């Protein structure tokens, strides 16, 4: 099983187009050692030819150009993307679907809650019906529905959707009252090797079933949005804490570093990193702390083989 990190930043990318925080200004001027990043998405394959796109970023066209495997050029019109799977209905995870409108109908795997948002609050279903169209395949969540899912084209991989504590999009009627299926994590298993990845770019709390999934995984690829709970407040960009936006910060008691330490030895990678997070600066003290704990920071183009 091969995973390509197509994008590793949170919404807005890095540097964010209108931001002059220390990180964004520093990467533009070369004052800090950091890599530019597009908005978060990964692609998964068992054969290197057919790929499941997990989350469709607004930066998708740039990501495809940088990942030749997603454009194998086997015909006059072609794509290595055989299906798209969504983990939520956030604008930075779904609007890339519009970039695929010139192709065939898109097989789309998502929960009923996400499909509802795309049919109402952010009506991409209606818009794309005038172009390629979407073929919905429901992703079940909850104990009764937690069955590994096979997707045609990647026959040796199974996907298990797990409900997460996070936030529905700001345009959702469920924003302040999340429901099961608004946000999911994915346990992704290679049926040939038995190796697994747990993927959760938006993660607000480590519930028992999420901790169990992290302990079962050989690689944990999880929310790296904020370093501290009050990061956006201290930098003067928002009045909201990390938890208000559905993210578990890395630092502090009960933070992501502590959670990753608790699940024991395995590969641990942070993804969906906000432009304000000091870990983007590769020479920062915060980046050194992650290294001490054996935690990596995802970057665009990173590959994971299991």
């Amino acid at each position: 099983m091969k995973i390509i990190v197509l994008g590793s930043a949170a919404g807005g990318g890095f540097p964010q187009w209108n931001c002059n925080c220390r990180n964004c200004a520093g990467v533009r001027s070369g004052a800090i050692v950091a890599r530019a990043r597009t908005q978060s998405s990964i692609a998964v394959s068992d054969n290197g030819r057919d790929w499941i796109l997990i989350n469709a970023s607004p930066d998708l066209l740039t990501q495809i150009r940088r990942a030749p495997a997603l454009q194998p050029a086997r015909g006059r019109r072609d794509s290595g993307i055989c299906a798209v799977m969504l983990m939520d209905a956030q604008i930075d995870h779904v609007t890339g679907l519009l970039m695929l409108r010139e192709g065939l109908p898109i097989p789309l795997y998502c929960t009923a809650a996400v499909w509802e948002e795309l049919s109402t609050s952010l009506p991409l279903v209606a818009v794309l019906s005038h172009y390629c169209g979407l073929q919905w395949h429901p992703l079940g969540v909850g104990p009764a529905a937690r069955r590994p899912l096979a997707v045609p084209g990647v026959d040796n991989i199974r996907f298990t959707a797990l409900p997460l504590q996070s936030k529905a999009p700001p345009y959702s009627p469920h924003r302040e009252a999340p429901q099961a299926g608004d946000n999911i994590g994915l346990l992704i298993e290679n049926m040939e090797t038995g190796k697994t990845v747990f993927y959760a770019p938006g993660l607000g709390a480590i519930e028992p079933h999420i901790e169990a999934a992290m302990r079962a995984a050989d690689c944990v690829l999880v929310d790296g949005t904020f370093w501290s709970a009050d990061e956006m407040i201290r930098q003067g960009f928002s009045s909201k804490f990390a938890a208000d936006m559905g993210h578990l910060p890395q630092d502090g008691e009960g933070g992501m570093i502590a959670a990753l330490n608790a699940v024991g030895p395995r590969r641990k990678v942070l993804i969906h990193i906000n432009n304000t997070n000091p870990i983007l600066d590769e020479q920062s003290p915060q980046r050194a702390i992650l290294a001490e704990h054996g935690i990596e920071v995802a970057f665009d183009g990173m590959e994971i083989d299991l």
Side-chain angles (χ1 to χ4, degrees), residues 233-301:
I233 297 171
R234 283 189 297 103
Q235 296 194 36
F237 292 116
S238 175
S239 60
K240 295 180 179 179
F241 289 93
D244 297 329
M245 292 177 272
H247 298 288
L248 182 67
Q250 285 111 60
D251 194 26
E253 185 177 353
M256 189 63 78
I257 293 174
L260 291 175
N261 286 341
V263 300
R266 67 207 64 245
R267 190 171 184 184
K268 303 166 184 178
V269 186
L270 298 177
I271 195 169
H272 193 271
I273 305 149
N274 199 57
N275 61 286
T276 56
N277 192 329
I279 66 173
L280 289 169
D281 180 349
E282 297 175 18
Q283 297 178 331
S284 67
Q286 293 85 356
R287 189 64 170 262
I289 291 171
L290 292 183
E292 290 171 4
H293 291 272
I295 300 171
E296 302 173 59
V297 178
F299 55 88
D300 292 18

Side-chain angles (χ1 to χ4, degrees), residues 80-268:
I81 299 170
C82 62
V84 180
M85 189 173 292
L86 300 177
M87 308 189 70
D88 54 49
Q90 297 285 352
I91 199 166
D92 52 316
H93 287 160
V94 303
T95 49
L97 291 170
L98 296 170
M99 303 300 103
L100 303 177
R101 64 188 180 275
E102 294 89 358
L104 297 172
I106 302 169
L108 183 69
Y109 293 79
C110 66
T111 66
V114 170
W115 182 255
E116 179 186 2
E117 300 287 8
L118 299 185
S119 301
T120 55
S121 307
L122 185 65
L124 297 186
V125 174
V127 172
L128 287 169
S129 71
H130 297 282
Y131 298 92
C132 57
L134 299 171
Q135 297 174 336
W136 180 40
H137 301 268
L139 278 179
V141 292
R146 254 178 242 168
R147 297 186 302 273
L149 173 75
V151 176
V154 287
D155 300 326
N156 294 317
I157 298 177
R158 297 292 181 271
F159 300 86
T160 304
L162 303 174
L164 299 182
Q165 278 193 34
S166 190
K167 285 280 191 177
Y171 39 83
S172 170
H174 311 131
R175 176 67 172 177
E176 301 305 328
Q179 59 181 358
D182 282 337
N183 297 271
I184 62 167
L186 286 172
L187 197 59
I188 308 169
E189 182 178 4
N190 183 336
M191 302 305 290
E192 289 189 340
T193 66
K195 299 290 187 179
T196 60
V197 174
F198 177 67
Y199 179 49
L203 182 56
I206 308 295
E207 301 172 273
H209 70 281
I210 297 302
E211 182 177 3
M214 292 169 70
R215 289 183 180 277
D218 298 281
C219 177
V220 178
L221 184 59
V222 291
D223 191 333
T225 308
F226 297 118
W227 175 259
S228 59
D230 62 348
E231 182 173 309
M232 295 290 280
I233 297 171
R234 283 189 297 103
Q235 296 194 36
F237 292 116
S238 175
S239 60
K240 295 180 179 179
F241 289 93
D244 297 329
M245 292 177 272
H247 298 288
L248 182 67
Q250 285 111 60
D251 194 26
E253 185 177 353
M256 189 63 78
I257 293 174
L260 291 175
N261 286 341
V263 300
R266 67 207 64 245
R267 190 171 184 184
K268 303 166 184 178

Side-chain angles (χ1 to χ4, degrees), residues 6-69:
L6 301 175
S8 52
F14 175 63
Q16 185 173 300
W17 67 279
N18 64 344
C19 185
N20 292 299
C21 69
R22 178 183 180 275
N23 284 344
C24 290
V27 74
R28 288 191 195 103
S29 67
I32 66 171
V33 178
R35 306 183 193 213
R37 288 166 163 84
T38 58
Q39 294 168 90
S40 72
S41 175
I42 65 172
V44 182
S45 178
D46 62 351
N47 59 20
R49 299 184 304 274
D50 303 293
W51 297 83
I52 303 293
L53 177 66
I54 302 182
N55 289 336
S57 156
D59 300 316
L60 181 57
L61 297 186
T62 296
Q63 294 168 347
I64 291 173
R65 284 194 292 270
R66 292 176 178 173

